[in-house]
Amino acid sequence: MTTTDWLTDIALVLVVFRQLREGRLDLKTFLIPLGIVAFVAHSYLHSIPTAGNDLVLVGALVAAGAALGVAGGVYTRIRVSGEHLLIKAGAVSAALWVLGMGARMGFQVWVDHGGASHVAQFSIAHQITTDQAWVAAFVLMALTEVVTRLATIFIRGRLVAARRQPATEIRPVRTLDRTV
């Protein structure tokens, strides 16, 4: 793993730790993690192999990323304080985030330190054609986890904000009864 790999992986893990302390739900909440995964995708995702079972691998890891992202978004507390929405990642949300990001980092470390032959054997046995399939699968997993978590938080934030708005009172219009 390069220094850039370590820094991006650590930055993604730290994103949720920043939210362990309650703060405002604002544009930064969305832009920082999206910026990091956009950088990762631009740096590492050059193609998505489609031969053999490459798409099955990609689909499985994307599904895992989506599940982790939605669950992480659901277990993030969102509340109203005055005119602002506040967000705080709970222990479950943080654990799921670290699980997803840490699994990718752990896989990279394992491959770099003796696991490459096991991955190669697994790939041959399951018709995964190139190492780029693994790269694409893990990058898309991270991207999906971030996007689904943020989408879940966004939707939940809108629902909380909508519940906060007082319903406009509808009063019946009085009409004069002109019947005799």
Side-chain angles (χ1 to χ4, degrees):
M1 284 178 56
T2 66
T3 302
T4 304
D5 295 337
W6 279 105
L7 290 175
T8 53
D9 286 344
I10 290 169
L12 282 169
V13 169
L14 291 177
V15 164
V16 81
F17 286 120
R18 183 177 152 261
Q19 292 176 357
L20 287 173
R21 184 175 46 89
E22 189 173 54
R24 283 180 55 185
L25 179 60
D26 57 12
L27 197 55
K28 286 189 305 186
T29 305
F30 299 99
L31 292 182
I32 291 171
L34 286 174
I36 294 169
V37 293
F39 170 77
V40 169
H42 175 70
S43 299
Y44 297 100
L45 190 61
H46 305 294
S47 67
I48 300 173
T50 59
N53 285 326
D54 294 353
L55 287 179
V56 173
L57 174 67
V58 170
L61 291 184
V62 164
L68 288 168
V70 169
V74 166
Y75 285 101
T76 298
R77 187 178 71 167
I78 301 171
R79 70 179 185 92
V80 176
S81 176
E83 294 294 315
H84 304 289
L85 289 175
L86 299 179
I87 182 175
K88 182 178 182 187
V92 173
S93 179
L96 292 170
W97 185 263
V98 171
L99 174 70
M101 299 302 158
R104 284 183 289 283
M105 193 176 355
F107 183 81
Q108 286 176 299
V109 170
W110 177 63
V111 167
D112 289 347
H113 294 92
S117 63
H118 297 286
V119 173
Q121 290 171 358
F122 180 89
S123 296
I124 291 168
H126 295 91
Q127 298 176 351
I128 298 168
T129 61
T130 66
D131 60 342
Q132 184 60 33
W134 288 97
V135 172
F138 278 114
V139 169
L140 290 172
M141 178 185 178
L143 180 66
T144 304
E145 183 176 357
V146 168
V147 169
T148 56
R149 181 176 185 272
L150 292 176
T152 303
I153 289 170
F154 178 78
I155 291 166
R156 290 186 61 233
R158 300 297 282 184
L159 292 172
V160 168
R163 273 187 253 134
R164 177 188 75 172
Q165 300 296 330
T168 51
E169 192 175 315
I170 300 174
R171 296 182 186 185
V173 177
R174 290 188 166 187
T175 59
L176 295 174
D177 187 11
R178 295 186 180 193
T179 59
V180 211

